Amino acid sequence: MSDDNLPKWVKPLLEFGPVLAFFVAYLRMKGTSYKLGGSEYDGFILVTALFVPLLLVSTAILWKLTGKISPMQIMTAVLVTVFGGLTVWLNDDRFIKMKPTLIYLIFAGILGFGLLRGQSYLRLVMQDALPMQVEGWMVLTR
């Protein structure tokens, strides 16, 4: 099935739903500690433990429905899994909090490398959402 055959709300729901669910659950569980299996976990850690599989399931559903996943979605899923897993395993919320910074650094490095080569790698990721000429992509990347 292609993006064109899906109702317009399905793709945004699958892409942003897990993030929205994370924030709603965090707001409900913040500042509370929970004892599980003899260890005490902050609400943020438990929300992270729920967020990782939710993101992976929604990404898999999106792939099943559309037959494709953008490189940005793949990188996000990998980093959330790694840093979310470290957060839960080590019971330390610093790891998941590093993820946005690392994603931005990686993307900035990739876009900067593309600019040095005279190309807009942003176009590869977003060309379906924003149809533009090559010059427009170069301006947007800068």
Side-chain angles (χ1 to χ4, degrees):
M1 183 180 278
S2 72
D3 291 357
D4 298 334
N5 297 338
L6 288 176
K8 291 186 182 251
W9 57 269
V10 171
K11 189 172 179 187
L13 177 70
L14 290 171
E15 289 176 345
F16 299 113
V19 176
L20 181 61
F22 175 86
F23 283 114
V24 169
Y26 168 70
L27 290 174
R28 293 194 53 126
M29 296 174 74
K30 73 178 177 179
T32 308
S33 293
Y34 301 89
K35 193 162 187 150
L36 297 171
S39 296
E40 192 163 317
Y41 296 95
D42 183 59
F44 186 83
I45 304 292
L46 292 180
V47 170
T48 301
L50 297 172
F51 175 59
V52 173
L54 180 61
L55 179 74
L56 294 175
V57 167
S58 71
T59 302
I61 291 170
L62 185 62
W63 180 42
K64 178 79 172 157
L65 291 174
T66 64
K68 62 182 176 180
I69 300 175
S70 74
M72 189 162 62
Q73 289 169 315
I74 293 169
M75 175 125 10
T76 299
V78 168
L79 288 175
V80 165
T81 301
V82 169
F83 285 96
L86 286 170
T87 294
V88 175
W89 185 31
L90 300 173
N91 198 8
D92 187 347
D93 63 356
R94 290 180 291 181
F95 291 101
I96 196 71
K97 291 177 180 177
M98 285 188 247
K99 181 201 66 79
T101 302
L102 288 173
I103 286 176
Y104 296 144
L105 285 172
I106 289 168
F107 287 139
I110 291 169
L111 294 177
F113 179 73
L115 285 174
L116 290 174
R117 296 189 65 218
Q119 299 176 342
S120 172
Y121 292 152
L122 188 60
R123 178 176 171 245
L124 298 174
V125 177
M126 298 183 65
Q127 64 187 354
D128 292 338
L130 295 169
M132 286 192 280
Q133 300 296 323
V134 173
E135 297 81 22
W137 283 111
M138 291 301 289
V139 169
L140 185 59
T141 302
R142 280 190 213 106

